[in-house]
């Protein structure tokens, strides 16, 4: 397959509540785009860098510690700042496609809409940590919350997953609220029973954005 080049680097983010399929579908789309000849970088949040992985341990693994929504927001943004600087911006400058499993919308929704940190405060910090980098396309995978949480029953929940069901319902509403405000950037894909059926819709949305920026010839 001939290499395909883009007019500019593209940042595509996967978002949505717990267990909606972000990791599954972001991995599948990376393989699909690479097969088509695109140069793709895959990363995840929090994490994706050495310091980001250490912050991930604090944010997700330590289930017993209390972290206020404000401190939580700043920790996520610290992890994000590092990821943008060392992974995302260099890849975008090289004209690659960057696919991330969660990004800045997760903070708006988890710490802002559901956690109560003022949205304007998140915007302020975010403008520093992102430094102008913004997603070109966001895929929100929408799942019925009880279906998503049921999938975790079989293993130990992390700190975020352990929050009350009302919190997770708010997270889902938060994503739909963001999507309604930014229909140009955010597509909502309802998760179907079969992964392949969901992936068809994901693929269609992503391809439309990618083809728009693909150089012809
Ligand atoms: N559309 C789908 N239909 C049915 N099952 C799915 C679908 N998408 C993903 N799954 C399954 O749901 C589970 C959770 O998927 P995945 O780990 O990709 O979700 P996630 O959003 O990354 O979760 P987490 O919030 O834990 O990171 C996996 O077992 C996966 O195989
Ligand atoms: Mg995941």
């Amino acid at each position: 397959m001939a290499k395909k080049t883009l007019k500019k680097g593209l940042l595509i983010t996967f978002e949505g509540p717990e267990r909606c399929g972000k990791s599954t579908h972001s991995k599948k789309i990376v393989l699909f785009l690479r097969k088509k000849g695109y140069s793709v970088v895959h990363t995840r949040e929090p994490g994706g860098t050495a310091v980001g992985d250490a912050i991930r341990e604090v944010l997700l693994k330590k289930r017993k510690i209390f972290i206020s929504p404000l401190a939580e927001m700043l920790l996520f943004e610290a992890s994000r700042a590092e990821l943008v600087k060392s992974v995302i911006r260099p890849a975008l400058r090289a004209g690659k496609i960057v696919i991330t499993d969660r990004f800045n919308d997760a903070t708006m929704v988890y710490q802002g809409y559901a956690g109560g940190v003022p949205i304007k405060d998140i915007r302020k910090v975010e403008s520093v940590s992102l430094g102008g980098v913004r997603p070109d396309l966001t895929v929100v995978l929408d799942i019925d919350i009880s279906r998503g949480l049921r999938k975790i029953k079989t293993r130990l929940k992390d700190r975020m997953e352990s929050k009350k069901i009302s919190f997770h319902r708010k997270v889902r509403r938060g994503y739909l609220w963001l999507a309604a405000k930014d229909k140009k950037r955010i597509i909502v894909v309802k998760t179907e029973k079969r992964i392949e059926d969901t992936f068809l819709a994901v693929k269609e949305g992503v391809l439309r954005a990618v083809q728009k920026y693909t150089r012809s010839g």
Side-chain angles (χ1 to χ4, degrees):
M1 175 62 66
K3 277 251 161 281
K4 290 214 173 63
T5 57
L6 297 173
K7 293 172 192 152
K8 70 174 204 85
L10 274 187
L11 175 58
I12 302 174
T13 65
F14 280 76
E15 298 273 4
E18 306 303 325
R19 309 304 280 163
C20 63
K22 301 173 292 296
S23 302
T24 303
H25 293 284
S26 61
K27 275 182 210 148
K28 282 174 81 70
I29 206 76
V30 168
L31 293 179
F32 172 77
L33 290 171
R34 281 185 184 149
K35 261 202 197 135
K36 281 199 152 299
Y38 291 99
S39 181
V40 188
V41 171
H42 190 201
T43 186
R44 69 163 184 182
E45 272 211 356
T49 64
V51 68
D53 287 336
I55 294 173
R56 184 183 181 95
E57 283 284 309
V58 173
L59 283 169
L60 301 183
K61 298 287 157 63
K62 299 201 189 314
R63 295 190 307 139
K64 294 267 157 57
I65 60 170
F66 174 78
I67 310 176
S68 69
L70 177 61
E72 204 173 82
M73 182 271 277
L74 293 166
L75 283 168
F76 274 111
E77 292 295 349
S79 166
R80 188 163 300 137
E82 191 68 21
L83 186 67
V84 166
K85 181 174 171 289
S86 56
V87 178
I88 297 180
R89 188 177 291 115
L92 292 177
R93 284 203 174 132
K96 296 181 180 171
I97 299 176
V98 179
I99 307 273
T100 83
D101 184 342
R102 290 200 186 281
F103 198 56
N104 61 324
D105 293 324
T107 299
M108 273 307 165
V109 168
Y110 278 75
Q111 285 73 47
Y113 190 92
V117 176
I119 301 293
K120 66 171 189 347
D121 291 349
I122 300 180
R123 286 224 168 90
K124 263 191 242 166
V125 180
E126 181 187 273
S127 77
V128 181
S129 54
L130 296 186
V133 166
R134 289 286 185 286
D136 296 284
L137 173 73
T138 297
V139 179
V140 167
L141 293 160
D142 187 33
I143 192 170
D144 175 58
I145 293 300
S146 42
R147 201 179 124 214
L149 292 179
R150 221 178 300 134
K151 289 195 213 156
I152 340 180
K153 275 206 181 127
T154 45
R155 63 162 169 81
L156 207 59
K157 289 181 180 163
D158 71 30
R159 207 179 58 82
M160 286 293 173
E161 291 163 353
S162 310
K163 290 180 189 273
K164 287 197 207 116
I165 189 145
S166 56
F167 179 85
H168 295 291
R169 289 197 202 288
K170 230 170 164 180
V171 164
R172 182 187 184 195
R173 284 203 301 279
Y175 275 118
L176 298 178
W177 164 75
L178 271 187
K181 286 200 308 175
D182 199 347
K183 292 202 179 102
K184 262 180 102 169
R185 170 178 67 93
I186 304 177
I187 56 169
V188 178
V189 173
K190 264 200 133 3
T191 56
E192 304 294 340
K193 287 227 162 51
R194 290 182 51 238
I195 293 180
E196 284 311 320
D197 291 338
T198 310
F199 188 61
L200 270 183
V202 170
K203 206 161 65 176
E204 193 191 300
V206 169
L207 264 185
R208 204 178 309 129
V210 168
Q211 279 164 352
K212 210 166 94 189
Y213 292 100
T214 303
R215 279 186 212 279
S216 50

